[in-house]
Amino acid sequence: MIWTKRNLPQQFYKFVDSGYGKYTAAALCRAGIESIEAAKEYLESEEIISPARIRNIGKATDVIWTHVYRGDRICVFGDYDADGITASAIMFLALKKLGANVSVRLPDRFTEGYGISKKAIDEQLELGTCLFVTVDNGVRAVEETAYVKAQGCDIVILDHHEPGEILPEPDAMIDLHIEGETYPFVELTGSGLAWKVAHYMLEQSGEHEFAMSLVDLAAIGTIGDVAPLHGENRSIVKRALRLMRQPLYKRYGVKELMRDMSHITAEDIAFRLAPCLNAPGRLNEHGASLSLILLIEDDARIAYDLAAKVHAQNESRKELQNRCYEAVRAEAEERIAHNDKVLVILAKEAPSGIAGLLAGNLKEEFGRPAIVFCPKEDLDGSVHWTGSARSVEAFHMLDSIEHCGEYLLRFGGHKLAAGLTIECDEVLLNSFREAMNQIADSLTESDFETTMLWDIDLDESELNDSIFAEMELLEPYGANAPRPTVKVRTTLSEGESYAFLGANNNHVKMYANGFTLIGFSLADKYIEEELPSVITAYGSISYNSYRGNLTKQISLLDFDAA
């Protein structure tokens, strides 16, 4: 790993000259903030835009209200990831509050895949559904929408994904990416959009407080979907964190999954809560329903029991991922020895729900593009190998896959990540692997070297209360709003200066004067460097919250021995 100083823009010095500390100035630059006015809004604003500004919101909610008044059965159709689950929970709880006869249906990741399907539609029709409301899906469901209408039912689509060339024709549709939209912030997630629509309907019934009580679910989905924490997304998360830190916060399942709600951060949601909510759907058929029920359960005892099950599922997911990764890692090393530049690996024993996690692990460890295929049974009972791809900056994954499209059944994605499906044929898989590596032939070892950038150089004495106060004022951190990376030369404490942590002792915790340093998966390096007492640390500053106690901490990305 190569470390070098990031070239901060001129705005950095403008912010410093205006009275901001260098940590705040660096954070503002990393977030793409360019003016003093924008900095003030970024740091202070919690504006929530009126949902009435959304084009078609009146039309969409009129359709829903009609079925609420009639007492018709309404089916909210969501998705199996954190954003889709929270969007479904929001719409269910809102409609239930308004007296609707409402249920939720989530697709199964393994047998149905993403989005509403004719199988699910038929199942719901047999139960008497008169209205479908899709959340976090539907904008590309042209055939399925037509099928719903042909059965004499209504459908409202609420989605945040990019539309295709042909739009479906539901009774009403809201997608902020459709040309002509009037809403000023288009980067709401599925849960964010569901909250806006729910908010609009609840306000019509004088239920403002209940509408605002759902903001935590919108924030969980926003963070889980790695949406940029700018604009209204940032306001949603700020408001949610304040709500979730209150002693009387009553999302009991969430409280049980999180260790210390008094100082919960957006990163806690990203790295602890969202993975838990995703885990059941990754492992089990219709598993996402467990996470949904956890979020909507208002009995504390039952919610705690459900949280224990969700937590256990996430622990199982971690164990399964680690076990499967050992196998794909061994094959990856063999393929690198044979000069493969793109790792294309079949994980026959892994469930398709963790293919993306395995590909991400390979890309992170070996610094090169990775594609992992796993077996998956389709709705018709046929089995294919479905894959997830993760790439590096030097290799455009989707363009490369498109050039090899003749070997695939279907694919989609973007530069750094993609999904793809191929027939269960090892000869065909080998041909695809060879074709991908031919495209990647021009890549050099330097393209695989991870060049890391640090933002500001700090002296140990600067790791004081003042800079940690700056750090807290910049919450929340997340997508498009990262913590600055600091470089600090650190002398460790005399006596007990380090400890190894984790089930396999693969993490290291170091002790310095007034703060600690935590290095995940850095224990081996610390041993190889002969347990140095003076290091140059690269990482981010944060508080470690444990049992209500806050301690200053550097979360290490890497270190150099002095």
Side-chain angles (χ1 to χ4, degrees), residues 376-528:
K376 181 179 179 181
E377 183 176 350
D378 291 337
L379 277 173
D380 60 5
S382 61
V383 177
H384 297 107
W385 292 334
T386 185
S388 283
R390 300 291 183 270
S391 196
V392 296
E393 282 293 334
F395 188 74
H396 198 300
M397 182 60 78
L398 183 58
D399 283 356
S400 302
I401 288 174
E402 284 178 338
H403 281 99
C404 304
E406 64 190 281
Y407 302 106
L408 303 171
L409 294 172
R410 52 188 175 271
F411 58 86
H414 51 81
K415 179 180 178 181
L416 296 178
L420 58 169
T421 303
I422 194 170
E423 293 281 7
C424 297
D425 184 327
E426 296 207 18
V427 174
L428 192 64
L429 182 66
N430 287 333
S431 298
F432 171 72
R433 179 186 292 116
E434 291 173 8
M436 288 292 288
N437 274 282
Q438 286 176 3
I439 294 171
D441 188 57
S442 61
L443 294 177
T444 65
E445 285 301 317
S446 62
D447 293 318
F448 304 141
E449 288 182 349
T450 304
T451 299
M452 302 292 288
L453 303 174
W454 55 271
D455 298 295
I456 53 173
D457 194 351
L458 297 176
D459 186 83
E460 272 190 286
S461 63
E462 293 179 276
L463 294 175
N464 52 31
D465 291 344
S466 176
I467 199 167
F468 277 83
E470 279 189 60
M471 174 203 73
E472 288 214 285
L473 288 174
L474 284 152
E475 289 277 5
Y477 298 97
N480 293 58
R483 292 181 185 268
T485 300
V486 300
K487 174 185 177 183
V488 186
R489 183 179 172 88
T490 301
T491 300
L492 302 183
S493 302
E494 294 183 7
E496 185 185 11
S497 59
Y498 68 89
F500 297 123
L501 310 175
N504 300 312
N505 286 329
N506 55 336
H507 313 311
V508 61
K509 186 173 187 177
M510 307 176 198
Y511 300 89
N513 183 26
F515 63 96
T516 59
L517 306 96
I518 183 72
F520 293 104
S521 301
L522 287 175
D524 286 348
K525 178 173 181 176
Y526 190 63
I527 294 169
E528 290 167 4

Side-chain angles (χ1 to χ4, degrees), residues 170-327:
D171 295 270
M173 177 163 58
I174 299 175
D175 187 316
L176 305 182
H177 295 286
I178 295 175
E179 187 176 351
E181 178 56 55
T182 54
Y183 198 68
F185 184 76
V186 301
E187 296 193 82
L188 292 173
T189 62
S191 59
L193 181 59
W195 183 60
K196 301 302 292 190
V197 175
H199 189 181
Y200 185 79
M201 296 184 71
L202 288 162
E203 290 285 1
Q204 291 176 319
S205 295
E207 294 286 356
H208 173 77
E209 292 301 321
F210 188 77
M212 298 311 296
S213 76
L214 300 175
V215 73
D216 60 328
L217 296 174
I220 293 167
T222 297
I223 295 167
D225 218 47
V226 201
L229 295 190
H230 284 239
E232 192 169 26
N233 283 344
R234 190 168 185 82
S235 297
I236 287 171
V237 174
K238 282 183 178 181
R239 288 169 175 261
L241 291 175
R242 187 166 59 250
L243 171 66
M244 296 169 81
R245 288 172 178 174
Q246 292 178 3
L248 296 180
Y249 175 64
K250 291 184 178 180
R251 199 79 63 201
Y252 298 115
V254 172
K255 288 179 71 170
E256 183 66 12
L257 286 174
M258 304 301 287
R259 184 173 62 229
D260 185 0
M261 297 296 293
S262 65
H263 200 76
I264 187 173
T265 67
E267 292 147 308
D268 291 327
I269 294 173
F271 298 114
R272 287 165 48 198
L273 181 56
C276 280
L277 296 178
N278 284 328
R282 291 187 185 279
L283 298 182
N284 307 311
E285 287 191 15
H286 295 288
S289 296
L290 175 61
S291 297
L292 172 71
I293 297 168
L294 170 79
L295 295 178
I296 64 177
E297 179 56 61
D298 60 2
D299 183 296
R301 183 181 56 80
I302 296 173
Y304 291 158
D305 289 343
L306 291 169
K309 293 180 180 179
V310 170
H311 177 73
Q313 290 285 297
N314 192 46
E315 292 302 305
S316 296
R317 187 272 304 169
K318 290 179 185 177
E319 293 173 9
L320 178 64
Q321 182 181 344
N322 290 338
R323 188 166 65 250
C324 292
Y325 185 63
E326 287 304 310

